[in-house]
Amino acid sequence: MEQKERKSIKGIRIQNASIIMILISCLIYILLILATVRVSEKYEDVHHSMDDYIAWEEGEALLTEGSAYLTEQVRLYVVTKDTRYRERYFMEVHVTGRREQALRQLEEHDGGEEAYKYLEGALESSNELMAQELYAMKLVSAACGEKAEKLPEMLQEIVLEPEDQALSPEKMLEKAQTIVFGESYQKVKDKISQDVSDSLASIHAMTHQNMLESADELAQTMNGQGRMISVLFVQNLLIFLMIILLIVKPLRNFVRCIKEDRMMEVMGSYELKYLAMTYNDMYEVNMANEAMLRYQAEHDPLTGIINRGAFEELKKVFQIKKIPLALLIVDVDKFKDVNDGYGHEAGDQVLKKVAELLQDGFRATDYPARIGGDEFAVLLTNMTEEQKSVIERKIGRMNEILTHPEDGLPKVSLSVGAAFSKDGFTEDLYKKADLALYEVKEHGRCGLSFYQNT
C-alpha cells in the first residue's frame, strides 16, 4: 500500500529538472557561440569589403597617375624633343610600372564583375593610348634623325607608315604633336578616366550593398544574441524560483516540523515529497511505539488499568491540583483461597473481572488502578462526602455481581475503604482510606467503610 502511495506522488523531480535546465543552458550557450562566430564573420566581411574598396580606390588612383604621367612625359618629349622626357617615359613603363602595380593590387581584391568590366575597358584604352604615344615618339625620333639602333627597344619595334616616312621632319613633328594633343587622343584619355570612374562607382555600390547586407545580418544576429541572453536570464530566474519553491521553502518547513515534533507537510519536489512521506511513516511508527511503550509503562499488563507507578504519578498531580476527591482502597476478599483452590489462571480472570467492574462502574474522569497483587485503588475526582451514597451504591452493585457470578468464575467479594479530601491528594489521605479498609475487614469483609474523624 505504501509503495503504491509512493508511486502516486506527483511533483517535479529535481534530477529531471536539473538535466533539462543543463541541456537548455548548453543549447543556448552553443547558439550564443555560433552567433558570436557569425558576428565575427560578418565583421570580417565588412572589414574585407572596406579593404577591397580601399585597395581598388588606391589601385585605380595608381593606374590613373601612371597613365597621366606617361601622357605628360610623351607630350613634353614631343614638344621639346628632349630625350630625358622619353627616358622618364620608359622608366615609368619598365621600372616604376605604376599601371602594373595597380593591376597586381586589383587582382588580389574582389571588386565584382562589373568593376572588372570597366577596368578591362580602361586597360584596353590605356594600351591603345600607349600605342599612339609610342608612334608619336617614333615620329619625333625620326624627325630628329636619331639612329634606330640607339632608340629604346620598344621604339625600335615601331615601323612608321610609308606616307609618314615620306614626311619632312617638320611635318613629322607636327603629326606627332597632333597625335598626343589631338581630339582622338583626348577621347581615349577621357574614356580611360570614365572607365576608371565607373569602375570606382561600381565597386563603391557593391561595397555599400555588401556593408548594408552585412550590417543587417549583424543586427539580426545581435538581436538573436539579445533574445538568447534574455532566455538565459529568464531561465536563471526560473531556476532561482524552483530552488526557493521546491527545495528551500520545503526544507525550512521540514526543519520547523522537526523542531515542533510533528509530521511534515508533503510539499516541494518529488524527492522532498517522497522524503516527507517516508519521514511521516517513520514518525507514525515511532509515535505508535512511544504510545505503546508509554501504555505498557503506565498500565497493568493483566488488567489493562493503570499500574502502581502511574498511580504514584497521579498522586503527585493531585497534590498540586487542589480539587475535592475521594480515594478508595479495594481488596479482593480471600483471593489466596481462589488461587489455591482454582489455580492462578482463575485468579487472573477474577482480577481482570474486578478491574473491569471498577473501570465500568465509575466515571471516565475517575482513575482505577491496580497497586498490588489483589489490591486496587480508585481516585474519584470532584467527589465530596455528600456523594457517599453514590459510592455505596456502586460498590454494592459490584459485590452483588461478584458474589453471584454467572460466568463460571469463583465467588469473591470486595472490601473497600474510602476517604475524602477537599484539597487534593493530601499526605494522610491514603492512610485514612487504609484505616477505613481495616474497619471493613474487622467487620466481616464484603463491604464499604468511610473514614470517620473521631
Side-chain angles (χ1 to χ4, degrees):
M1 186 66 178
E2 291 180 0
Q3 189 65 27
K4 289 183 179 179
E5 290 180 359
R6 298 292 188 278
K7 289 181 179 179
S8 65
I9 296 176
K10 294 182 180 179
I12 298 174
R13 294 177 182 262
I14 294 298
Q15 180 180 0
N16 295 344
S18 300
I19 292 173
I20 291 171
M21 289 298 179
I22 290 172
L23 291 176
I24 292 174
S25 297
C26 289
L27 177 61
I28 294 175
Y29 281 122
I30 290 172
L31 292 176
L32 279 174
I33 291 171
L34 293 176
T36 303
V37 172
R38 186 65 176 166
V39 169
S40 178
E41 289 175 351
K42 288 300 153 187
Y43 174 78
E44 289 296 326
D45 289 344
V46 172
H47 183 70
H48 289 152
S49 295
M50 288 299 299
D51 286 348
D52 290 339
Y53 177 74
I54 293 170
W56 270 73
E57 194 174 46
E58 292 175 351
E60 292 182 346
L62 199 61
L63 179 63
T64 302
E65 289 174 6
S67 179
Y69 183 80
L70 291 175
T71 298
E72 181 185 11
Q73 298 307 312
V74 74
R75 284 177 172 176
L76 287 171
Y77 174 63
V78 168
V79 172
T80 65
K81 297 177 287 298
D82 188 340
T83 57
R84 288 179 302 173
Y85 296 114
R86 187 180 69 191
E87 290 172 359
R88 290 173 186 171
Y89 181 94
F90 286 109
M91 178 67 73
E92 173 66 29
V93 172
H94 296 301
V95 179
T96 307
R98 276 178 279 191
R99 294 193 313 166
E100 286 71 19
Q101 290 180 32
L103 290 175
R104 286 195 298 271
Q105 183 170 330
L106 295 176
E107 286 174 354
E108 294 175 357
H109 295 273
D110 182 23
E113 185 178 345
E114 187 176 5
Y116 275 116
K117 179 181 177 182
Y118 287 120
L119 180 62
E120 288 173 355
L123 290 174
E124 289 176 4
S125 299
S126 180
N127 291 332
E128 179 184 343
L129 205 62
M130 189 174 181
Q132 294 183 35
E133 292 167 350
L134 291 173
Y135 195 86
M137 285 190 288
K138 182 71 173 184
L139 285 170
V140 174
S141 63
C144 293
E146 292 185 71
K147 293 181 180 181
E149 62 271 12
K150 292 184 178 180
L151 295 176
E153 185 177 351
M154 290 182 72
L155 290 181
Q156 293 179 22
E157 296 175 354
I158 301 298
V159 179
L160 296 177
E161 296 292 334
E163 60 271 20
D164 291 334
Q165 292 179 9
L167 294 174
S168 64
E170 291 77 11
K171 292 294 182 180
M172 286 183 177
L173 291 174
E174 184 180 345
K175 184 169 184 178
Q177 291 178 8
T178 301
I179 290 174
V180 297
F181 287 100
E183 185 178 351
S184 62
Y185 183 87
Q186 190 58 43
K187 283 183 179 180
V188 177
K189 288 285 292 182
D190 292 341
K191 186 176 184 305
I192 292 173
S193 297
Q194 187 61 46
D195 285 340
V196 170
S197 177
D198 290 341
S199 179
L200 277 175
S202 176
I203 188 67
H204 178 270
M206 186 186 75
T207 302
H208 181 68
Q209 182 62 30
N210 288 341
M211 291 182 69
L212 285 178
E213 292 176 357
S214 297
D216 184 58
E217 292 186 23
L218 188 62
Q220 291 180 9
T221 304
M222 294 183 71
N223 288 336
Q225 282 183 314
R227 287 191 291 270
M228 284 183 279
I229 291 172
S230 299
V231 171
L232 273 179
F233 177 75
V234 172
Q235 183 195 21
N236 287 332
L237 284 180
L238 289 175
I239 291 173
F240 178 76
L241 290 175
M242 183 177 72
I243 292 173
I244 293 295
L245 296 177
L246 300 182
I247 299 177
V248 176
K249 185 178 179 181
L251 286 177
R252 292 179 64 182
N253 179 267
F254 293 171
V255 170
R256 185 167 59 252
C257 291
I258 291 172
K259 287 181 177 180
E260 295 174 1
D261 191 25
R262 59 187 177 87
M263 294 176 67
M264 292 180 178
E265 295 181 33
V266 180
M267 60 187 303
S269 66
Y270 171 86
E271 291 84 352
L272 292 182
K273 287 181 178 179
Y274 193 96
L275 173 65
M277 291 188 69
T278 303
Y279 174 86
N280 290 342
D281 289 343
M282 295 174 63
Y283 182 87
E284 288 179 345
V285 171
N286 185 59
M287 292 299 292
N289 289 336
E290 286 186 5
M292 181 180 67
L293 291 173
R294 186 165 53 249
Y295 183 88
Q296 291 175 348
E298 295 176 351
H299 290 74
D300 176 55
L302 176 64
T303 61
I305 60 176
I306 60 176
N307 57 22
R308 188 177 188 89
F311 181 74
E312 293 297 328
E313 293 299 320
L314 279 174
K315 286 168 58 177
K316 294 177 183 178
V317 171
F318 287 108
Q319 284 173 355
I320 299 171
K321 198 172 183 179
K322 305 295 185 179
I323 62 172
L325 53 80
L327 172 64
L328 308 182
I329 297 179
V330 181
D331 259 1
V332 179
D333 297 329
K334 299 181 180 180
F335 180 71
K336 186 176 182 302
D337 295 341
V338 174
N339 276 337
D340 293 341
Y342 296 92
H344 289 285
E345 185 175 348
D348 290 344
Q349 293 299 320
V350 168
L351 293 176
K352 289 172 68 176
K353 183 177 181 180
V354 170
E356 288 175 3
L357 290 172
L358 293 174
Q359 194 165 29
D360 295 340
F362 293 101
R363 301 164 300 175
T365 55
D366 299 330
Y367 299 94
R370 183 185 178 194
I371 59 176
D374 60 341
E375 187 176 7
F376 295 85
V378 183
L379 268 175
L380 306 175
T381 60
N382 295 307
M383 185 68 67
T384 62
E385 292 188 26
E386 288 75 16
Q387 296 171 296
K388 285 182 180 180
S389 60
V390 175
I391 299 174
E392 289 176 341
R393 186 168 62 254
K394 291 180 178 293
I395 296 300
R397 175 62 181 164
M398 292 177 195
N399 271 326
E400 178 67 24
I401 294 171
L402 290 172
T403 55
H404 298 86
E406 297 179 357
D407 49 11
L409 291 178
K411 181 176 69 171
V412 293
S413 61
L414 301 179
S415 294
V416 182
F420 292 92
S421 170
K422 296 179 181 180
D423 299 314
F425 201 102
T426 59
E427 292 182 0
D428 60 348
L429 183 61
Y430 188 91
K431 182 179 180 181
K432 290 178 179 179
D434 192 52
L435 289 173
L437 174 63
Y438 180 77
E439 184 72 19
V440 174
K441 290 182 177 181
E442 284 293 311
H443 292 83
R445 305 176 188 273
C446 189
L448 168 66
S449 175
F450 293 98
Y451 175 78
Q452 301 291 333
N453 288 323
T454 57

